[in-house]
Amino acid sequence: MKVTPLSDALGAEVIGIDLTSIDDPVFDEIHEAFLEYQLLVFRDQDLTPDAHIAFSERFGPIETRPDRPFTLPNYPEVTVLSNRLVDGEPMGVISAGDFWHTDLSFSEIPCRATFLHAREVAEEGGDTEWSNIYTAYDTLSAEMKERIADLKGIHVFDRRRNKRAQVDTQFANKADEVYGIPIPDAVHPMVRHHPETGRKSLYISPRFVVGIEGMGGDEAQPLLDELFAHQIRAEFRYRHKWQHGDLLMWDNPCLIHIGRGAIKPPGIRHMHRTMVLGDRPH
Ligand code: SIN
């Protein structure tokens, strides 16, 4: 197995691995690379849903939600992200991740790692970009670190309560159905410790964090705006152009990401996604 960094910010490509047949020593090497680079790219993988689930489950329990739209038939663990239409109806979530976020941070126990597998890619568009929130934290001024040390962000699933995120057009006429589901808000430290490395990250995102616990909007919103802008400085980021067969896995406690969309017709981007749960942020 060969591991080649993809940028100065984060990410590495792993060469010489077939994810359908890894033994424990190889798994340990992958795990180590994952902690070091936060995002791993495996090319030319051909994973059935079972194989995709089996690899994901080595990192933790898979998150499933009974009413999640667009899971694969008989596989509630696997969500389809796709712009393909069948009889005029979308086969998957079209614009998943269209604002900077870290997965499932609106949950009490958010996502540890996400595994996204490219079954089909468009010639143009559909990139995904990540930003390193370890580095975002590390590069804050000493005063800012002190100011936010004990603050907690309020994470909200419902886009209608977030002035920084619009309801996506796909779900606009059934927004109540999609966003009105009973998901309580989650309150997490704005500075969290990674469950394995112990490193601190700036654990907020414009898609999910709408306020700061115990702080009025006049103070909280400008502070959040400043931190959101800092989180996505160009030098913290890596942008991925997908190839057919890519399996990417990323570490949500230390990265935020965004789906760049802009798929040029008639391009089709069709992905399978699993997510595994992590720890309660602390
Ligand atoms: C996601 O945010 O889960 C998906 C991002 C993408 O499809 O590029």
Side-chain angles (χ1 to χ4, degrees):
M1 160 175 153
K2 189 166 164 247
V3 180
T4 310
L6 288 164
S7 73
D8 290 339
L10 64 108
E13 183 172 337
V14 182
I15 295 157
I17 293 286
D18 172 357
L19 291 175
T20 61
S21 57
I22 48 169
D23 57 18
D24 289 346
V26 170
F27 174 75
D28 290 345
E29 279 186 71
I30 292 173
H31 187 193
E32 206 176 299
F34 186 49
L35 295 181
E36 182 169 354
Y37 293 103
Q38 300 92 42
L39 170 143
L40 298 178
V41 176
F42 302 88
R43 303 279 190 194
D44 299 321
Q45 304 297 315
D46 185 14
L47 300 180
T48 61
D50 285 312
H52 186 159
I53 291 168
F55 178 62
S56 311
E57 274 180 334
R58 297 191 75 137
F59 290 86
I62 298 213
E63 189 267 359
T64 55
R65 202 177 76 204
D67 49 1
R68 184 187 293 289
F70 299 118
T71 53
L72 276 184
N74 302 320
Y75 289 100
E77 303 92 338
V78 181
T79 301
V80 178
L81 313 183
S82 182
N83 63 333
R84 170 170 285 116
L85 302 180
V86 176
D87 298 330
E89 291 297 321
M91 279 190 77
V93 185
I94 296 174
S95 57
D98 52 352
F99 293 88
W100 285 101
H101 66 289
T102 166
D103 286 330
L104 305 182
S105 73
F106 54 84
S107 305
E108 201 182 333
I109 306 291
C111 177
R112 170 63 201 279
T114 304
F115 303 78
L116 191 58
H117 186 31
R119 312 291 304 174
E120 274 179 82
V121 296
E123 215 159 279
E124 213 178 304
D127 296 357
T128 310
E129 191 163 14
W130 287 263
S131 193
N132 191 325
I133 54 174
Y134 277 151
T135 321
Y137 175 76
D138 291 344
T139 52
L140 290 172
S141 67
E143 295 73 31
M144 184 60 94
K145 284 181 180 162
E146 203 182 317
R147 183 171 174 203
I148 67 172
D150 297 319
L151 297 181
K152 291 185 172 158
I154 302 167
H155 297 241
V156 170
F157 172 71
D158 189 342
R159 289 180 183 232
R160 297 168 299 182
R161 291 172 49 209
N162 185 344
K163 68 180 166 83
R164 297 182 181 88
Q166 299 85 43
V167 172
D168 40 14
T169 45
Q170 183 179 8
F171 300 125
N173 57 13
K174 46 180 175 182
D176 278 338
E177 209 179 294
V178 176
Y179 298 114
I181 50 182
I183 296 182
D185 299 348
V187 175
H188 298 305
M190 287 171 55
V191 179
R192 83 172 275 186
H193 294 83
H194 189 278
E196 290 189 86
T197 66
R199 284 183 67 186
K200 291 177 180 176
S201 65
L202 182 58
Y203 191 68
I204 55 172
S205 74
R207 165 63 185 91
F208 292 126
V209 173
V210 303
I212 298 176
E213 190 181 56
M215 189 182 277
D218 287 356
E219 193 183 351
Q221 296 308 324
L223 176 57
L224 287 173
D225 282 334
E226 183 180 343
L227 294 170
F228 291 150
H230 174 78
Q231 277 187 309
I232 54 167
R233 273 168 44 181
E235 64 271 29
F236 305 160
R237 283 153 50 175
Y238 164 70
R239 180 167 178 149
H240 189 70
K241 166 98 188 124
W242 291 86
Q243 293 177 17
H244 175 255
D246 282 355
L247 181 290
L248 265 66
M249 59 180 292
W250 64 88
D251 199 353
N252 285 284
C254 50
L255 299 180
I256 54 173
H257 63 282
I258 186 168
R260 287 299 183 190
I263 296 167
K264 190 170 166 197
I268 295 291
R269 180 188 196 260
H270 192 90
M271 323 287 271
H272 286 177
R273 184 185 70 192
T274 55
M275 297 194 265
V276 303
L277 296 173
D279 65 333
R280 185 189 304 273
H282 66 280

